[in-house]
Structure formats: structure tokens, C-alpha cells
């Protein structure tokens, strides 16, 4: 008996679907169905639509769908699946809306297609509608929805899905579990992600990759690498995706905070990256394009462009991404010419530069300081995106052209280009650097209107701008209205009070931060130590020092340098030296603070000694170093040592002397009464029209009663700064000390004719009144700035006011 033709055709259709047969086979079977009179068989038609879909023939599938007389839910799902697979989302929505009956498969198809197409928010809206209409989620539903949550960093929606998964018993499903873990990891909730990881019965390569990504994203590079080692120890299959992920972790290790502070971490990350490269070769993945690009990116971020270029040359094929990575790497390495060469090669080989290429070239020009070329490239982009604007803004910020940053930001606003957190952060950095209050307010408005209105990174920048512009009430208001706070926001407020000389308030905020459970970082400690220095409070400084030891920041160069500065400022130079000697590593700032501390305490020999120790140790002195050591020589009378160091600046160390250096050496010579040498230097310097040089010389003339040179210095000061009372007072005092009353009186008359008066001076003295309190007393400053108020020695007095 002849076999049922419908069953035979169904079997052939299934075989063709499984073997992904050619379109011709689908058409032959279609013809057989028509000839057999089975065109009305809905089951066969549904399978034929599926076969056309597998053959990528959406038109034939749609024609068949339209011709089916008795469509059922499987028919509708078949054509919906085809549109979703092809990414034809508008057609998919049209079919979905026309469906009289839907099931979970229908919803899952549409949600999954939206997520794949990058429409995560729209996918979540469809999911919400699905739930409202009473459809039960499956593991496929939750996997797609969690993928959307991860893309949008919507942890709240992820938590709702987590609760539902527990309720319907899907929390241990590997697809759902991996989706949840990805959401928590991407959103920075590592504690939740870690707990999920521990609870998963059989974590796979996706699980480990998600954990590595989450740990890396929060700069826990070491833990991320350890996760990869655990993955290998457990025998979990290592694929090209997990290898790309761990290469990203290694790359991140070159740009994280730890790597910035310690060159050893950079070496360790480089070593790990090369080990992963070796493993990729061993496993046979080295020829994959995605993994190859990850290797290029890793070497480029290390700055190892030789290895990157070798890897590039050995790649069997390239993508635009490959070229972009190389161009970006050369730009970051200040090799602008190589970046240009690769751009030319890219175009010669038929690769079309995209916007990322333009941004990378912009960044390369900016990194090398060639903003003229960068601007030309930017102007040639027909419709620059936010990323392009960010690149040009960052370039101008890098070269310190803050005015141009603000100008371009206003132009960007005028063109209605949306800002992101990078845009606002760059512009706020410029506003803070120059105190541009109005521009800062414009950024504030854009921040409130935009999608990043709660972004803590931008909020901390706003706090810094308002603090710099002495608008502390606004800064405080922004701080107090943030829904959550991070260490950067706390640091911005603490620094804001400090730069406005409200050091007591700065210390109070520091204590409040600790009470709220926030752990200080090195920037926090450096700022609050500076405030302790200004307050002159020994007890507060020592409390902070104790906390620094407890929190393990004693080896931090930044904190250590500030701590030395605090002790030196309080006159506790021996304590500063003890800590200095214990520091495992020192920066130029550390050495400068110690030299300055000795100079401040009148210990010139020690200052010169530690300067020479620094030179012998191979540390390169900077301009600040020479100011510190020359000041110490001046105050301690070490004139010959000062001259020797001054002469070595340019000759031995390549540091061009500036006004402060000349002022120090002239002061040293003047204090020693070596006016002839001082005049020789004075006649050579390019700063003859700066009043401070002549003020220093005039002060020295008063000490040694050098009337002729004093008169020359005073005349120069009368010319340069006619309303300054100091030269009149100093010159009058010289005449008075020599008993030349007529000339002293002439100076007094000259002051009166020019309506010049001396401002009273004040000093604050902190008296310890008890263990818990202190009293501030205003006291008249009795200094060299005496004011001559009478015609002769019998009528001289000091004029001042006690406030």
C-alpha cells in the first residue's frame, strides 16, 4: 500500500530543514505539495515556511504565508520567527499586531529580536505588556529580558526578574542564572553576582566570562585574572570569547589606578597578557578575527606597538576595527606619523574609515599637540556625533586651551548634539581650571536636563566648579541632594572647603564621611592633611596620621608627601624626616617637601644635604626643587652653596631659571651684603620690571644701610607699583636708622602727596585653653613695615589698629 503522501512530504521537509538544504529543494517540495493537492494542509505549509526561512528566502515565505487558507498560531509564529530572524522588526511588529492568538513563543520571538537589534528599552516594554496580559515567562523569556537589563544597566528590572525566577523555579537554570549574573556584574553589584556564582551548580564558560567582566569593570583586575585561573583549574571549556574577555582584563590592568601608581602592576599585566596569547595559540584560536582584535587592543594599551604590529601583520584577515585599534594605539603612544601611515594603508586596501577612525585620528593629533590638524579633521566630519565632539574637547583640554573647550561646548549645544557624561566632565574640568562660573552653570543646566542628571562623576565636577568660584552653598546643595554618594563626591566637597580656606569645615566633612561608612582614599587624606596644616592643630594631624596607618596608606607617595609637608609646616621637622626615611618610594614632590621643610625651619645645611642626596640618588630636580633649596640657602646664609646650585640649574639639570630663582639668589646675596654680585645678576635677568626683585633688594639694603642702592630700588618700585606703601616705609626706615631725618620726612611728604597709607597688619595666634577647646586672639603684627608718623626720633611710633 502506498505510503501517506502528507507524511512522506513532512518527512522530506524535516530532512531539508535539518540539512539546511538549498532554495531549489524548497521550491521542488513546494511544487510537490501543490501537485499532490495538499496546499490546504496547514501543517505542511508551516514546515515549508520554516524551510524557506532556513534558506533565507523571506519573500517566498511571505507569499506562502499569504496563500495559506487556514492559518493557525504555528503559521503566524513561523512567519513572525522569519521576520525576527532577519531583523525586519517593523514587519515583525505588524504581523504580531495582526495575530488573533498569541502564545509565549510569539512574545519570546519579538522580545529576543528587539534585544538582538539593540532596542533593549522597547524589548522591556513588550515584556511588561506580556506580563500584564497574563503570559508566563519561560527561561527563554527571562534570558532575553535579562540581556536587555544588562545592556541598559537596569538593575531594578533585573532584581524583579530574579524574584520571578525564584518564584517559578528557574533560578538554577543556566541561561537565567548567567543572565542574572551578567546584570549584577555589569551594574557593579559584585556581591550579588558572587553569591549567584557560588550558588550555581555547574558554572560554564559564560558564567566565568561574566564574572571576569564584572570584576574587571570595577578595577578588581587581580580577582578577574584569578577567576580565569579557576575556570582553567575546573576544566571549564575555554573558548575564543572567554579568551577575548581575559585579554580585556589584562588591558584594563594597564589603565587602572593600581597600574598608574605602580609600574610593577603594568609589567604583571603585560606578562599575563602574553601568557593568554600563548594559550590562544595552543588552543588554535589565534586566527580568529575577534580574538586577534582583542590581542591587538591589549598590546596597544600596553604601549607595546611593536608586538601589536607583528600581530597585525600575522592576521589572516582584517576588519575596520583592526585598523582603528592600531591607529588608536599609535596615537596613545605619541606616534602621530605612524597613525597617519596606517590610515593611508587602510584606505589603499579598500577599507572605508568610519567615525571611530576619525575619532582615533583626532585623539592622535590631540595627544601629539597638533590641534590644528585635529580641528581640520573635525570640521570635515559632516555630522559629528557626541563621541567626535568629546574627542576634540578632550584635545583642547589636554593642551590647556580651556577657553576653546567652553566655546566648542556652546557650539555643540547650539547644534543640539546630545551631551554624555564624558562631555560634561571634560567641560567641567576646564571650568574648574579657570573658574568659568557662567559656563559651569550652563553645564549644570545640561546635566539637569539630560539622562545623566544623577551621574556622580558629573556631580563631583559641578561641586568642584562651584567650590572654585566660591559658591559653596550651591556646591553643598548639589552634594546634599544626590541620591547616593561616592568617594569622589565626598572628596570634591572636602577639597571645596579647603580651597576656600574653610579648613575646619573641611575636617568636619571628613569626619562625617567616615561616620557614614565611606572609606577615605589617598586624595581624601592628602586634602585633609593640608587642612590640618593650615589649622595648625597638632592633635588633628596626628589623628589623621594614625588613621592613615590603620587604612594602609603610609606607602602611598601622594599621601606621604602631604604628611611630610604637614609636619614641616608645624615645625616638627624631625618627625617629618623620620617618616621620610621610612617611605619605600619617593616622588619629586616628596623630596621637595623635605627640602622646603628644612629651609622653613632654618636648617639650611640639612636642606642642601638632602638636595645632594636626591641628586646622587638619580632623581631629577624640577623648578620647585631649586626654589626650595635656594630659599633655604638664603635664609641660612649659605651664599656660596646657593650660587653653586644656582649655576648648576641650567648647565647640569636643564632647568631654566625663572623669577623665583633669581629672587632667591638676589635675596641670599643681599642678606650677606654682597651687593656688587647682586647687581651683576640683577643687570642680566629678564625680570627687571617685576616689583618683587626690587622689594627683596630694598629689604636687604635696609639690613646693611646701603642707601644708594636702596634709593635705586625704591625709585624702581615707585615707577612699577606707585600705590604700594612698602618701598616708602622701608626707605624711610633706612633714613631713620641713619639719623637722616630730613630725607625720612621727605619720604613721608611724598606718601602724603600720593595719598598712600599703610594698611594695618593682623596675625592670628591659637592659644590652647584646654584639652577640648582653643581661643583665637587677634594681635597687632609688629614687623619691618613700621610707619613713620613724626618728624624726628622723639616722635616715631608704630601705627596700627587692634581689631
Amino acid at each position: 500500500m502506498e505510503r501517506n503522501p502528507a507524511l512522506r512530504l513532512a518527512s522530506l521537509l524535516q530532512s531539508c530543514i535539518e540539512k539546511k538544504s538549498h532554495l531549489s529543494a524548497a521550491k521542488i517540495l513546494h511544487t510537490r505539495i501543490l501537485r499532490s493537492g495538499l496546499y490546504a494542509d496547514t501543517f505542511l505549509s508551516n514546515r515549508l515556511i520554516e524551510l524557506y526561512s532556513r534558506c533565507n528566502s523571506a519573500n517566498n515565505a511571505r507569499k506562502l504565508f499569504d496563500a495559506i487558507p487556514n492559518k493557525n498560531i504555528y503559521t503566524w509564529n513561523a512567519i513572525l520567527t522569519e521576520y525576527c530572524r532577519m531583523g525586519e522588526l517593523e514587519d515583525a511588529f505588524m504581523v504580531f499586531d495582526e495575530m488573533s492568538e498569541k502564545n509565549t513563543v510569539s512574545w519570546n520571538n519579538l522580545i529576543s529580536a528587539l534585544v538582538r537589534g539593540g532596542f533593549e528599552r522597547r524589548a522591556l516594554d513588550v515584556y511588561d505588556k506580556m506580563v500584564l496580559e497574563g503570559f508566563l515567562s519561560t527561561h527563554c523569556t527571562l534570558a532575553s529580558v535579562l540581556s536587555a537589563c544588562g545592556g541598559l544597566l537596569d538593575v531594578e528590572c533585573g532584581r524583579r526578574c530574579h524574584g520571578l525566577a525564584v518564584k517559578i523555579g528557574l533560578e538554577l537554570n543556566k541561561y537565567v542564572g548567567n543572565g542574572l549574573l551578567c546584570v549584577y556584574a555589569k551594574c557593579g553589584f559584585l556581591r550579588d553576582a558572587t553569591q549567584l556564582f557560588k550558588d550555581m551548580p555547574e558554572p560554564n564558560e559564560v558564567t566565568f566570562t561574566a564574572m571576569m567582566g564584572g570584576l574587571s569593570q570595577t578595577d578588581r583586575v587581580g580577582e578577574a585574572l584569578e577567576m580565569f585561573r579557576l575556570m582553567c583549574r575546573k576544566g571549564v571549556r575555554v573558548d575564543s570569547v572567554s579568551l577575548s574577555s581575559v585579554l580585556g582584563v589584562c588591558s584594563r590592568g594597564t589603565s587602572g589606578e593600581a597600574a598608574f601608581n605602580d609600574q610593577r602592576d603594568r609589567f604583571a599585566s603585560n606578562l599575563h597578557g602574553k601568557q593568554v596569547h600563548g594559550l590562544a595559540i595552543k588552543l588554535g584560536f589565534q586566527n580568529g578575527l575577534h580574538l586577534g582584535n582583542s590581542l591587538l587592543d591589549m598590546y596597544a594599551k600596553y604601549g607595546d606597538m611593536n608586538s601589536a604590529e607583528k600581530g597585525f601583520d600575522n592576521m589572516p584577515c582584517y576588519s575596520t576595527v583592526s585598523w582603528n585599534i592600531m591607529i588608536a594605539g599609535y596615537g596613545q603612544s605619541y606616534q602621530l606619523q605612524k597613525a597617519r601611515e596606517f590610515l593611508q594603508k587602510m584606505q589603499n586596501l579598500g577599507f572605508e574609515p568610519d567615525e571611530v577612525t576619525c575619532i582615533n585620528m583626532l585623539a592622535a593629533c590631540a595627544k601629539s599637540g597638533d590641534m590644528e590638524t585635529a580641528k581640520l579633521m573635525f570640521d570635515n566630519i559632516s555630522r559629528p556625533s557626541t563621541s567626535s565632539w568629546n574627542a576634540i574637547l578632550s584635545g583642547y583640554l589636554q593642551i590647556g586651551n580651556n577657553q576653546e573647550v567652553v566655546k566648542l561646548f556652546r557650539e555643540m549645544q547650539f547644534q543640539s548634539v546630545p551631551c554624555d557624561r564624558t562631555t560634561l566632565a571634560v567641560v567641567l574640568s576646564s571650568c574648574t581650571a579657570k573658574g568659568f562660573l557662567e559656563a559651569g552653570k550652563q553645564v549644570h543646566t545640561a546635566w539637569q536636563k539630560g539622562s545623566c542628571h544623577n551621574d556622580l562623576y558629573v556631580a563631583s565636577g559641578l561641586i568642584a566648579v562651584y567650590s572654585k568660584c566660591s559658591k559653596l552653598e550651591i556646591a553643598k546643595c548639589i552634594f546634599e541632594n544626590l541620591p547616593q554618594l561616592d568617594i569622589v563626591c565626598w572628596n570634591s566637597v572636602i577639597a571645596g572647603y579647603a580651597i576656600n580656606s574653610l579648613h575646619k569645615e573641611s575636617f568636619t566633612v571628613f569626619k562625617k564621611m567616615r561616620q557614614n561608612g565611606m572609606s577615605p582614599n589617598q586624595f581624601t587624606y592628602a586634602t585633609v592633611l593640608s587642612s590640618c596644616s593650615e589649622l595648625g592643630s597638632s592633635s588633628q594631624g596626628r589623628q589623621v596620621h594614625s588613621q592613615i596607618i590603620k587604612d594602609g596608606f603610609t606607602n602611598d607617595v601622594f599621601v606621604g608627601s602631604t604628611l611630610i609637608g604637614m609636619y614641616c609646616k608645624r615645625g616638627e621637622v624631625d618627625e617629618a624626616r623620620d617618616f621620610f626615611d621610612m617611605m619605600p618610594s619617593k616622588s619629586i614632590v616628596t623630596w621637595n617637601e623635605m627640602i622646603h621643610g628644612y629651609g622653613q625651619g632654618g636648617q639650611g645645611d640639612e636642606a642642601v644635604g638632602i638636595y645632594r642626596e636626591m641628586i646622587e640618588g638619580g632623581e631629577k630636580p624640577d623648578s620647585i626643587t631649586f626654589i626650595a633649596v635656594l630659599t633655604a640657602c638664603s635664609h641660612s646664609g649659605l651664599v656660596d652653596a646657593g650660587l653653586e646650585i644656582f649655576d648648576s640649574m641650567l648647565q647640569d639639570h636643564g632647568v631654566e631659571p625663572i623669577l623665583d630663582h633669581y629672587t632667591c639668589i638676589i635675596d641670599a646675596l643681599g642678606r650677606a651684603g654682597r651687593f656688587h654680585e647682586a647687581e651683576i645678576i640683577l643687570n642680566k635677568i629678564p625680570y627687571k620690571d617685576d616689583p618683587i626683585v626690587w622689594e627683596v633688594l630694598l629689604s636687604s639694603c635696609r639690613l646693611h644701610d646701603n642707601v644708594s642702592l636702596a634709593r635705586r630700588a625704591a625709585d624702581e618700585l615707585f615707577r612699577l607699583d606707585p600705590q604700594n606703601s612698602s618701598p616708602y616705609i622701608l626707605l624711610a626706615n633706612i633714613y631713620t636708622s641713619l639719623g637722616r631725618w630730613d630725607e625720612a620726612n621727605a619720604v613721608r611728604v611724598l606718601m602724603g602727596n600720593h595719598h598712600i597709607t599703610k594698611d594695618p597688619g593682623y596675625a592670628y595666634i591659637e592659644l590652647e585653653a584646654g584639652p577640648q577647646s582653643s581661643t583665637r586672639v587677634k594681635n597687632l603684627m609688629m614687623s619691618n613695615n613700621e610707619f613713620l608718623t613724626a618728624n624726628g626720633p622723639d616722635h616715631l611710633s608704630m601705627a596700627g589698629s587692634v581689631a
Side-chain angles (χ1 to χ4, degrees):
M1 185 175 67
E2 186 179 356
R3 189 178 176 188
N4 187 325
L7 290 176
R8 186 181 176 195
L9 287 168
S11 177
L12 287 170
L13 284 166
Q14 180 63 32
S15 177
C16 289
I17 289 169
E18 289 175 355
K19 294 178 181 178
K20 297 181 182 178
S21 299
H22 195 267
L23 179 60
S24 58
K27 288 182 176 180
I28 291 170
L29 285 173
H30 193 171
T31 303
R32 290 280 299 274
I33 290 170
L34 292 174
R35 285 178 178 175
S36 302
L38 297 172
Y39 61 88
D41 189 310
T42 304
F43 176 78
L44 290 177
S45 297
N46 291 347
R47 302 314 305 273
L48 189 55
I49 288 173
E50 187 178 351
L51 179 56
Y52 276 130
S53 297
R54 291 294 180 94
C55 297
N56 295 318
S57 181
N59 289 335
N60 285 312
R62 180 70 202 205
K63 287 176 183 176
L64 176 58
F65 172 81
D66 292 337
I68 295 174
N70 301 311
K71 300 179 180 71
N72 61 17
I73 190 170
Y74 300 104
T75 315
W76 286 95
N77 279 340
I79 194 65
L80 178 63
T81 300
E82 170 60 10
Y83 281 134
C84 288
R85 190 184 65 82
M86 295 292 292
E88 302 290 343
L89 294 177
E90 293 309 315
D91 290 327
F93 263 103
M94 183 178 67
V95 169
F96 186 81
D97 289 339
E98 290 175 4
M99 291 176 72
S100 57
E101 181 186 358
K102 302 180 181 73
N103 62 9
T104 303
V105 174
S106 317
W107 292 95
N108 286 351
N109 274 333
L110 191 57
I111 293 169
S112 176
L114 287 167
V115 173
R116 289 197 304 273
F119 300 98
E120 290 94 346
R121 180 55 62 193
R122 201 171 176 185
L124 294 184
D125 291 340
V126 172
Y127 171 68
D128 289 340
K129 190 175 179 182
M130 172 184 171
V131 173
L132 286 173
E133 293 193 15
F135 288 91
L136 185 66
S137 299
T138 65
H139 72 276
C140 295
T141 320
L142 290 177
S144 296
V145 171
L146 288 168
S147 179
C149 293
L152 295 170
L153 302 181
D154 189 344
V155 72
E156 291 307 315
C157 182
R159 288 194 187 282
R160 289 195 297 272
C161 290
H162 193 172
L164 177 62
V166 173
K167 184 178 179 180
I168 61 179
L170 289 174
E171 74 275 15
L172 296 181
N173 179 276
K174 65 180 180 180
Y175 299 106
V176 176
N178 286 337
L180 283 168
L181 194 146
C182 285
V183 171
Y184 288 132
K186 285 181 179 179
C187 296
F189 289 80
L190 266 298
R191 183 178 297 177
D192 300 89
T194 303
Q195 188 59 52
L196 270 173
F197 179 80
K198 290 177 180 177
D199 292 341
M200 293 185 74
E202 293 183 9
N204 59 11
E205 65 273 15
V206 177
T207 319
F208 279 97
T209 301
M211 279 302 298
M212 283 190 287
L215 291 165
S216 172
Q217 185 177 299
T218 52
D219 289 330
R220 294 160 68 172
V221 174
E223 293 175 61
L225 291 172
E226 187 56 42
M227 186 62 63
F228 180 70
R229 294 189 191 100
L230 179 63
M231 176 182 178
C232 295
R233 286 198 299 270
K234 284 185 172 290
V236 176
R237 184 175 71 93
V238 176
D239 59 10
S240 61
V241 176
S242 52
L243 285 171
S244 294
S245 180
V246 77
L247 285 170
V249 172
C250 296
S251 300
R252 196 173 184 91
T254 67
S255 56
E257 190 173 299
F260 181 81
N261 287 327
D262 194 340
Q263 198 68 17
R264 290 172 298 181
D265 289 340
R266 181 180 292 275
F267 174 78
S269 291
N270 197 344
L271 180 62
H272 291 315
K274 289 183 176 180
Q275 288 173 341
V276 175
H277 190 175
L279 180 60
I281 294 171
K282 181 180 178 181
L283 297 174
F285 291 122
Q286 74 273 17
N287 291 330
L289 179 60
H290 180 66
L291 184 62
N293 287 340
S294 297
L295 284 165
L296 292 183
D297 185 58
M298 178 194 71
Y299 284 122
K301 284 180 178 171
Y302 289 151
D304 185 358
M305 292 309 298
N306 289 331
S307 296
E309 193 165 342
K310 286 177 185 177
F312 183 86
D313 291 340
N314 290 326
M315 288 177 69
C317 59
Y318 308 119
S319 66
T320 303
V321 174
S322 316
W323 292 99
N324 287 345
I325 290 170
M326 294 300 292
I327 291 168
Y330 280 120
Q332 288 296 316
S333 301
Y334 299 93
Q335 299 183 59
L336 179 57
Q337 189 55 43
K338 288 289 290 185
R340 286 173 173 157
E341 287 175 15
F342 263 76
L343 176 62
Q344 189 63 51
K345 286 180 186 178
M346 174 185 182
Q347 293 171 313
N348 291 343
L349 290 173
F351 288 89
E352 190 67 30
D354 59 13
E355 189 179 9
V356 176
T357 319
C358 294
I359 292 170
N360 289 344
M361 278 306 301
L362 267 175
C365 292
K367 194 87 174 175
S368 300
D370 186 3
M371 286 310 299
E372 186 177 345
T373 304
K375 188 64 166 63
L376 285 172
M377 292 187 64
F378 177 78
D379 291 339
N380 286 329
I381 301 174
S382 57
R383 295 181 64 186
S385 67
T386 302
S387 298
S388 301
W389 282 97
N390 289 347
I392 195 72
L393 288 170
S394 299
Y396 280 114
L397 175 66
Q398 184 177 302
I399 64 170
N401 192 341
N402 300 293
Q403 195 77 43
E404 190 66 20
V405 172
V406 172
K407 178 184 172 184
L408 282 170
F409 172 68
R410 287 173 176 155
E411 185 180 334
M412 182 182 181
Q413 294 280 285
F414 182 75
Q415 294 184 20
S416 300
V417 180
C419 302
D420 62 12
R421 68 196 300 258
T422 302
T423 318
L424 300 180
V426 168
V427 180
L428 285 171
S429 294
S430 287
C431 293
T432 304
K434 290 296 182 181
F436 294 148
L437 179 59
E438 290 306 313
K441 288 179 178 179
Q442 291 173 2
V443 177
H444 193 172
T445 302
W447 178 64
Q448 290 175 318
K449 289 180 179 178
S451 60
C452 53
H453 58 278
N454 283 329
D455 190 284
L456 299 181
Y457 187 50
V458 179
S460 62
L462 282 168
I463 292 168
V465 172
Y466 284 120
S467 298
K468 178 69 177 286
C469 299
S470 301
K471 300 292 181 182
L472 287 174
E473 285 304 314
I474 302 177
K476 185 179 177 183
C477 183
I478 293 170
F479 177 78
E480 291 177 346
N481 285 307
L482 287 170
Q484 60 180 3
L485 297 168
D486 65 1
I487 187 62
V488 181
C489 292
W490 283 103
N491 286 346
S492 294
V493 173
I494 292 169
Y497 280 120
I499 63 175
N500 283 279
S501 300
L502 297 171
H503 301 291
K504 190 173 181 181
E505 289 80 355
S506 178
F507 193 79
T508 301
V509 175
F510 168 72
K511 290 195 293 184
K512 185 178 178 182
M513 182 190 85
R514 289 193 54 76
Q515 289 165 2
N516 285 3
M518 182 66 69
S519 298
N521 62 11
Q522 57 266 56
F523 182 82
T524 322
Y525 280 125
T527 306
V528 81
L529 283 170
S530 297
S531 288
C532 290
S533 298
E534 297 299 328
L535 287 169
S537 174
S538 178
S539 59
Q540 288 176 333
R542 291 187 183 279
Q543 284 173 18
V544 176
H545 190 175
S546 299
Q547 195 61 50
I548 288 169
I549 295 171
K550 183 179 178 182
D551 288 350
F553 283 102
T554 49
N555 290 341
D556 185 271
V557 177
F558 189 42
V559 175
S561 301
T562 315
L563 195 57
I564 289 168
M566 182 194 73
Y567 279 125
C568 289
K569 194 161 188 176
R570 294 211 313 252
E572 300 175 3
V573 185
D574 291 339
E575 286 84 346
R577 183 57 190 264
D578 289 341
F579 184 78
F580 176 87
D581 290 338
M582 289 190 296
M583 289 181 70
S585 60
K586 303 173 181 68
S587 69
I588 185 62
V589 177
T590 319
W591 289 97
N592 290 349
E593 287 286 3
M594 200 65 243
I595 295 168
H596 179 67
Y598 276 128
Q600 215 174 16
Q603 297 173 266
D605 287 323
E606 287 80 358
V608 172
I610 202 166
Y611 162 77
R612 287 179 174 150
E613 184 182 328
M614 169 185 146
I615 300 299
E616 289 166 6
E619 187 72 49
K620 183 174 175 59
D622 61 9
S623 181
I624 306 298
T625 313
F626 288 109
I627 292 172
V629 72
L630 290 174
T631 301
C633 291
S634 174
H635 290 176
S636 299
L638 303 175
V639 185
D640 291 329
L643 284 170
E644 179 189 338
I645 292 168
F646 180 78
D647 291 339
S648 72
M649 282 181 62
L650 185 59
Q651 183 177 341
D652 297 339
H653 305 292
V655 178
E656 185 77 38
I658 59 173
L659 173 63
D660 290 336
H661 302 120
Y662 284 112
T663 302
C664 289
I665 202 65
I666 288 170
D667 183 49
L669 291 166
R671 285 170 183 259
R674 294 161 65 167
F675 292 109
H676 177 67
E677 293 168 85
E679 283 190 275
I680 291 173
I681 293 175
L682 189 62
N683 291 332
K684 293 179 180 178
I685 66 172
Y687 302 101
K688 294 185 184 66
D689 287 337
D690 196 291
I692 193 168
V693 177
W694 299 104
E695 285 182 2
V696 166
L697 189 62
L698 184 54
S699 273
S700 298
C701 290
R702 179 182 174 239
L703 290 174
H704 295 278
D705 296 329
N706 188 331
V707 178
S708 61
L709 190 54
R711 186 70 217 190
R712 178 191 171 190
D715 287 341
E716 291 289 347
L717 287 168
F718 297 158
R719 176 180 65 85
L720 296 169
D721 193 3
Q723 294 303 309
N724 184 2
S725 62
S726 296
Y728 295 93
I729 294 164
L730 289 169
L731 185 60
N733 286 339
I734 293 173
Y735 286 134
T736 301
S737 65
L738 296 173
R740 297 164 67 165
W741 307 113
D742 290 341
E743 289 155 301
N745 187 52
V747 175
R748 181 187 65 80
V749 171
L750 188 61
M751 284 184 71
N753 291 341
H754 288 86
H755 306 291
I756 298 169
T757 58
K758 174 191 173 294
D759 295 327
Y762 300 98
Y764 285 90
I765 302 173
E766 183 178 54
L767 301 178
E768 297 292 339
Q772 301 298 326
S773 63
S774 64
T775 304
R776 289 199 177 275
V777 180
K778 289 183 180 179
N779 187 39
L780 175 64
M781 182 189 294
M782 308 292 283
S783 68
N784 289 332
N785 295 337
E786 295 98 350
F787 181 63
L788 193 61
T789 58
N791 293 333
D794 297 331
H795 299 89
L796 288 174
S797 67
M798 301 269 254
S801 309
V802 179

